[in-house]
Amino acid sequence: MKHEVDTTAYLTRGFPSQANIQTYKAIRMVLDLRVDVKNIGKFPRSFRLKGSVDIHYEKQDRGAEESLMLDSWGLKIKQATVSYDGGATFAELHFIDYNLESGEPVLHLLVDPSKDEGIVRIDYIAPDSESLKYTSLQYMPFSDLHNHPILAIFNQPSMARTWVPCQDTLLVKTPVEMRINVPSP
């Protein structure tokens, strides 16, 4: 079943990760994203990311539950799929739950707890994230790039969830491979 979920209305600040890292741990992430930009003047003023993330995960607990929980904050989730052992990928039901204390959205993905590892693919849109900013190298006149915008990522302390579904905590160190398609200036 494919359905779209919008978590934009539930933005909050300063709450810890709601991901279940004791049960499932991300061991690698592969992002394939496109930047859609609305230009106003010389530099972009509004943009969004659109694409997918593949999260490779391992089970940490033999008594694992059926739900892999990821932090997502202001993202529009289009679809989620799971694959195991290099086999065929199939659609999984996903839903957004809310931490009762913080009101923060938590993405639950149904996974097979009998499998020790798997890959979750999430197709999503991240509109105007608070942790992604366009800037310039205007203070570095010797650089060839001083007239071009630069997309900077500010993930700390817990803002990665505003542009990619993830286990947004310092307790999980995950290698990330990114392919980002950006329009020419």
Side-chain angles (χ1 to χ4, degrees):
M1 170 188 259
K2 181 178 174 182
H3 54 274
E4 186 175 319
V5 181
D6 184 354
T7 63
T8 305
Y10 301 96
L11 295 179
T12 59
R13 287 185 165 265
F15 290 100
S17 173
Q18 302 299 315
N20 55 344
I21 61 173
Q22 304 82 7
T23 307
Y24 296 103
K25 183 178 178 185
I27 57 171
R28 181 171 178 243
M29 293 175 61
V30 179
L31 288 92
D32 188 5
L33 301 171
R34 184 180 80 232
V35 179
D36 291 334
V37 178
K38 292 181 183 175
N39 287 315
I40 302 172
K42 187 175 180 180
F43 289 101
R45 298 293 184 244
S46 177
F47 63 93
R48 68 180 183 170
L49 297 177
K50 183 177 183 180
S52 65
V53 60
D54 292 344
I55 300 173
H56 300 245
Y57 68 88
E58 286 181 342
K59 182 169 62 171
Q60 303 294 302
D61 179 6
R62 293 288 169 216
E65 57 212 40
E66 294 181 345
S67 183
L68 168 64
M69 296 187 298
L70 300 171
D71 299 303
S72 64
W73 187 3
L75 305 177
K76 294 179 181 177
I77 308 297
K78 299 299 230 178
Q79 180 178 345
T81 57
V82 181
S83 63
Y84 306 102
D85 305 320
T89 302
F90 56 93
E92 285 289 324
L93 173 66
H94 67 278
F95 63 95
I96 298 290
D97 191 10
Y98 302 94
N99 178 291
L100 294 178
E101 290 178 20
S102 68
E104 183 173 339
V106 181
L107 178 62
H108 289 254
L109 298 162
L110 301 180
V111 298
D112 184 348
S114 69
K115 305 290 186 183
D116 288 335
E117 58 187 39
I119 302 172
V120 172
R121 169 166 280 189
I122 302 169
D123 297 317
Y124 70 99
I125 297 172
D128 249 354
S129 168
E130 289 188 32
S131 63
L132 298 175
K133 302 293 180 199
Y134 266 106
T135 187
S136 71
L137 293 178
Q138 63 186 0
Y139 301 109
M140 300 174 75
F142 53 85
S143 170
D144 291 339
L145 298 174
H146 71 274
N147 286 325
H148 298 287
I150 296 172
L151 181 61
I153 300 171
F154 303 96
N155 284 338
Q156 295 188 1
S158 58
M159 297 298 288
R161 65 188 82 182
T162 67
W163 69 277
V164 61
C166 62
Q167 294 177 326
D168 197 4
T169 173
L170 297 175
L171 299 174
V172 176
K173 309 289 191 257
T174 307
V176 176
E177 175 184 332
M178 289 190 232
R179 290 182 294 268
I180 301 178
N181 183 355
V182 179
S184 59

